[in-house]
């Protein structure tokens, strides 16, 4: 497969109202939601397996209507006319709980056009170019996923396995118990369809399996054993890691210790590992005193320039400040994970707290996550269109 860049990554993101075509129960705490994409918006929802969409709706929060945004990975291979995501109920999760309990076919919701970097560096099919895949080279892919981390992984697996008979895909999938396994039947179908090329290893932390290696939590010792016996590390072309921070970081460190190049490892997180920190401080009220010291923040979005002052003592993120004058500034997770709020620093300097979305070369070129970045110079200019 030839290396390529996905053209859909370069498209400007935008919300469009889509109708829910189907809500399918996956487990007691997870659903698959299919959005119907009208023909005139097909180009806006072209995507590469592994990408995500942000969902936006208005909800009652403590008696007040507030906008809520959440990002969810697309769980299916590209297909014109629809976008499918999986939503797992989180403990205390406002949006995920509402969606699991109330969302139904016929409802309408704002859905952002797809984006994200959790994609293969090998060429994959898109809606408009399935014939471009190079099937002449053998490739071995391995994924380690936990819980709802299967969502983007199953889309990638379905696509690459269907693309070429020279592809092999190994999946280590961690869950608490068999009843928690999302897409259980779909994974079994993949195994039946590609018995010699798709290997599935369920690891259950609260259920005893025949093999001790597949029982219990994946810790450093168990991961070393899995990589030493089940997965031949030296023969893997590309790795995909998706799950909670601790598991993804453990896998990254272990692979690095075994000599796997960082550019061969793709990863995506559920959280940043700091659940108690207000993510990005989105919507935090900030009052500007003209007599106090302020940072001058300028930004370009959709060709239009905006400016806003931010009190130096407030330690306000660039995104939070920009939203005070432009409510349409793009963002989704606000935790440094998704990359929706990406912009390029044109002038000035900033300090970026977290970054789990930008590639090292993007950071070198001056790109930042505005939800995690605060000015460190008197004046800062960023470009969301870059």
């Amino acid at each position: 497969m030839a290396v390529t860049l996905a053209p859909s990554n370069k498209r400007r993101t935008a919300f469009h109202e889509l109708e829910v075509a189907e809500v399918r129960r996956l487990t007691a705490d997870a659903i698959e939601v299919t959005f119907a994409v009208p023909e005139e918006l097909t180009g806006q929802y072209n995507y590469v397996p592994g990408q995500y969409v942000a969902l936006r709706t208005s909800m009652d929060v403590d008696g007040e209507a507030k906008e809520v945004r959440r990002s969810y990975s697309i769980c299916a291979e590209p297909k014109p006319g629809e976008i499918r995501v999986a939503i797992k109920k989180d403990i205390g999760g406002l949006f995920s709980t509402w969606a699991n309990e109330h969302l139904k076919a016929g409802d309408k919701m704002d859905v952002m056009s797809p984006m994200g970097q959790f994609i293969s560096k090998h060429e994959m099919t898109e809606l408009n170019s399935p014939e471009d895949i190079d099937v002449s080279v053998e490739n071995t892919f391995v994924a380690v996923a936990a819980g709802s981390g299967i969502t983007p992984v199953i889309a990638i697996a379905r696509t690459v396995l269907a693309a070429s008979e020279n592809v092999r895909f190994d999946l280590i999938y961690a869950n608490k118990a068999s009843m928690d396994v999302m897409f259980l039947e779909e994974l079994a179908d993949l195994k039946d369809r590609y018995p010699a090329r798709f290997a599935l290893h369920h690891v259950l932390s609260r259920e005893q399996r025949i093999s001790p290696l597949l029982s219990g939590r994946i810790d450093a010792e168990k991961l070393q054993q899995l990589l030493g016996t089940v997965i031949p590390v030296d023969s893997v072309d590309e790795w995909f890691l998706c799950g909670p921070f601790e598991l993804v970081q453990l896998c990254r460190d272990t692979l690095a210790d075994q000599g796997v190049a960082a550019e061969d490892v793709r990863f995506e997180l559920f959280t940043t590992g700091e659940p108690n920190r207000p993510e990005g401080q989105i919507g935090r009220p900030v009052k500007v005193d003209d007599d106090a010291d302020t940072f001058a923040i300028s930004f370009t979005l959709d060709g239009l320039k905006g400016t806003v002052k931010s009190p130096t003592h407030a330690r306000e993120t660039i995104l939070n400040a920009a939203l005070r004058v432009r409510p349409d500034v793009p963002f989704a997770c606000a935790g440094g994970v998704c990359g929706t709020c990406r912009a390029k620093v044109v002038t000035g300097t900033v300090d970026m707290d977290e970054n789990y979305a930008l590639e090292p070369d993007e950071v070198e070129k001056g790109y930042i996550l505005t939800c995690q970045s605060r000015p460190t110079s008197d004046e800062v200019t960023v470009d969301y269109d870059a």
Side-chain angles (χ1 to χ4, degrees):
M1 294 184 181
V3 175
T4 187
L5 289 176
S8 51
N9 283 343
K10 302 300 182 182
R11 177 189 53 228
R12 280 288 298 130
T13 57
F15 279 104
H16 300 279
E17 187 180 68
L18 299 183
E19 183 172 317
V20 176
E22 181 184 8
V23 176
R24 182 169 70 97
R25 178 64 56 184
L26 296 175
T27 69
D29 295 322
I31 55 174
E32 180 188 64
V33 181
T34 301
F35 291 97
V37 178
E39 186 175 353
E40 63 270 19
L41 291 178
T42 296
Q44 293 296 315
Y45 289 93
N46 185 17
Y47 66 92
V48 175
Q51 293 190 300
Y52 68 90
V53 292
L55 307 182
R56 180 177 69 182
T57 191
S58 179
M59 301 183 66
D60 183 86
V61 180
D62 297 328
E64 182 181 351
K66 290 187 178 181
E67 178 187 290
V68 177
R69 301 188 188 193
R70 295 292 184 270
S71 55
Y72 293 98
S73 295
I74 303 169
C75 60
E77 62 275 35
K79 181 180 178 181
E82 68 175 36
I83 287 283
R84 282 193 275 164
V85 301
I87 302 176
K88 184 176 182 180
K89 185 190 299 184
D90 297 320
I91 297 176
L94 181 69
F95 182 90
S96 63
T97 299
W98 170 81
N100 269 265
E101 295 178 356
H102 302 292
L103 195 61
K104 62 185 183 303
D107 289 346
K108 294 183 178 181
M109 187 178 298
D110 291 336
V111 181
M112 184 180 282
S113 46
M115 65 180 304
Q117 298 292 337
F118 188 62
I119 60 176
S120 176
K121 288 190 176 181
H122 298 75
E123 186 161 332
M124 286 193 180
T125 181
E126 287 192 88
L127 298 180
N128 302 323
S129 57
E131 70 281 357
D132 290 340
I133 297 176
D134 180 358
V135 297
S136 62
V137 182
E138 291 189 11
N139 286 276
T140 298
F141 301 92
V142 173
V144 181
S148 58
I150 190 61
T151 307
V153 168
I154 193 172
I156 295 170
R158 283 168 163 167
T159 302
V160 298
L161 287 167
S164 170
E165 293 183 356
N166 295 320
V167 166
R168 175 179 173 84
F169 200 104
D170 282 71
L171 170 60
I172 299 174
Y173 186 21
N175 282 281
K176 294 178 181 179
S178 55
M179 64 182 294
D180 299 314
V181 178
M182 298 171 62
F183 299 108
L184 181 61
E185 293 183 4
E186 288 82 355
L187 290 169
D189 288 343
L190 274 182
K191 181 61 181 172
D192 291 340
R193 191 181 311 167
Y194 309 108
R197 298 194 289 118
F198 179 60
L200 176 59
H201 314 284
H202 285 291
V203 180
L204 303 178
S205 62
R206 297 184 183 178
E207 248 180 54
Q208 191 64 37
R209 307 206 66 205
I210 295 176
S211 170
L213 189 58
L214 301 179
S215 302
R217 292 178 61 85
I218 297 180
D219 54 17
E221 181 180 357
K222 188 181 294 293
L223 183 60
Q224 291 280 5
Q225 291 178 319
L226 286 167
L227 298 181
T229 59
V230 175
I231 306 295
V233 175
D234 294 339
S235 66
V236 179
D237 296 289
E238 196 167 24
W239 299 79
F240 297 93
L241 315 174
C242 190
F245 176 85
E246 293 79 6
L247 176 62
V248 170
Q249 194 60 48
L250 172 63
C251 291
R252 292 179 68 199
D253 291 342
T254 302
L255 292 174
D257 290 343
Q258 297 200 17
V260 176
E263 59 264 27
D264 294 332
V265 180
R266 322 296 295 160
F267 70 94
E268 189 165 82
L269 304 174
F270 291 167
T271 67
T272 62
E274 297 184 50
N276 295 323
R277 184 172 59 82
E279 301 292 26
Q281 299 178 338
I282 296 304
R284 180 165 66 96
V286 173
K287 293 183 178 180
V288 178
D289 183 351
D290 291 335
D291 296 328
D293 292 336
T294 59
F295 294 113
I297 300 173
S298 301
F299 60 93
T300 301
L301 174 64
D302 294 333
L304 301 176
K305 297 185 182 299
T307 59
V308 61
K309 291 182 178 181
S310 179
T312 56
H313 65 83
R315 284 193 48 77
E316 183 182 23
T317 65
I318 290 176
L319 175 60
N320 196 86
L323 284 170
R324 290 194 281 110
V325 294
R326 281 285 299 271
D328 60 334
V329 173
F331 76 92
C333 77
V337 174
C338 72
T340 306
C341 66
R342 171 183 181 269
K344 186 175 184 178
V345 176
V346 179
T347 62
T349 58
V350 304
D351 180 36
M352 184 163 57
D353 290 342
E354 302 280 7
N355 171 32
Y356 298 101
L358 300 178
E359 296 290 336
D361 64 320
E362 291 180 290
V363 177
E364 290 178 5
K365 293 175 182 176
Y367 287 95
I368 61 170
L369 301 175
T370 56
C371 74
Q372 297 295 309
S373 299
R374 296 171 174 81
T376 54
S377 59
D378 292 340
E379 297 182 357
V380 173
T381 303
V382 301
D383 187 354
Y384 283 96
D385 298 338

